[in-house]
Amino acid sequence: MLERYKRKRDFTKTEEPKPGSKVSDKDNLIFVIQEHHARNLHYDLRLEIAGVLKSWAVPKEPPTEAGIKRLAIGTEDHPMSYADFEGSIPEGEYGAGEVRIWDKGKFAPEKITDKEILFRMDGNKMKGEFVLIKTRFGKGNGWLFFKKKD
Ligand code: MN
């Protein structure tokens, strides 16, 4: 599942982690949201699913309250070790720019299908029940991301 991740990166140039095998037990799954100052500032939402970090790029600040809908574009799976990554991806490399952890915490999935993910996040900024649902926007990788209720 991490082939795309490896293919896009030159690990002699970037400090991003190489794929590792650290996996949480099923009652202690995690999420992380990284603020990524690439060509366009965006937020990378990553959820621990099946031993990897399933990932989406969110072009605007994530929805901390109900009533805000964000587009989230599905991107390549990332290794679990990426959840701790903060640093600078060098100029000329994929995703060049600063990466900072914006929020991190416990992830509890309620339902996962190809079209819909219902889950809880317990972080500092993201707390409560959230939804990711496939949308026709975004060239086949588009999802809507929102908080279910306050
Ligand atoms: Mn990114």
Side-chain angles (χ1 to χ4, degrees):
M1 278 190 287
L2 295 167
E3 285 311 309
R4 279 181 68 206
Y5 179 85
K6 286 190 249 181
R7 214 179 315 128
K8 284 170 181 282
R9 290 171 176 79
D10 178 348
F11 293 104
T12 66
K13 294 189 175 143
T14 181
E15 290 171 13
E16 292 167 287
K18 288 177 197 162
S21 57
K22 184 184 73 175
V23 180
S24 312
D25 71 71
K26 72 171 173 40
D27 294 321
N28 286 295
L29 303 174
I30 58 149
F31 80 90
V32 64
I33 298 175
Q34 281 148 324
E35 186 178 321
H36 187 179
H37 295 259
R39 195 176 315 144
N40 295 301
L41 169 65
H42 61 273
Y43 299 81
D44 288 303
L45 168 68
R46 310 194 195 280
L47 306 177
E48 182 178 5
I49 295 174
V52 295
L53 293 171
K54 292 278 168 198
S55 297
W56 291 261
V58 182
K60 291 184 180 175
E61 190 161 295
T64 52
E65 293 169 17
I68 304 166
K69 281 198 169 68
R70 294 294 189 229
L71 184 64
I73 306 296
T75 59
E76 78 275 20
D77 295 347
H78 279 51
M80 285 304 300
S81 46
Y82 211 93
D84 298 319
F85 177 72
E86 290 191 302
S88 185
I89 301 169
E91 209 52 53
E93 297 305 299
Y94 176 66
E98 292 289 318
V99 176
R100 292 282 169 261
I101 293 172
W102 185 81
D103 199 14
K104 191 177 173 183
K106 194 169 163 176
F107 161 66
E110 285 160 26
K111 179 184 176 186
I112 301 176
T113 71
D114 290 345
K115 291 179 179 162
E116 187 182 37
I117 302 176
L118 306 179
F119 57 104
R120 285 194 60 86
M121 284 192 280
D122 285 296
N124 291 318
K125 294 175 178 145
M126 303 298 272
K127 290 177 200 288
E129 292 177 53
F130 294 83
V131 181
L132 276 163
I133 194 158
K134 269 249 170 172
T135 160
R136 62 196 172 86
F137 302 106
K139 295 176 185 165
N141 291 316
W143 297 64
L144 285 176
F145 175 34
F146 56 93
K147 191 174 185 188
K148 215 167 156 184
K149 55 179 187 271
D150 281 323

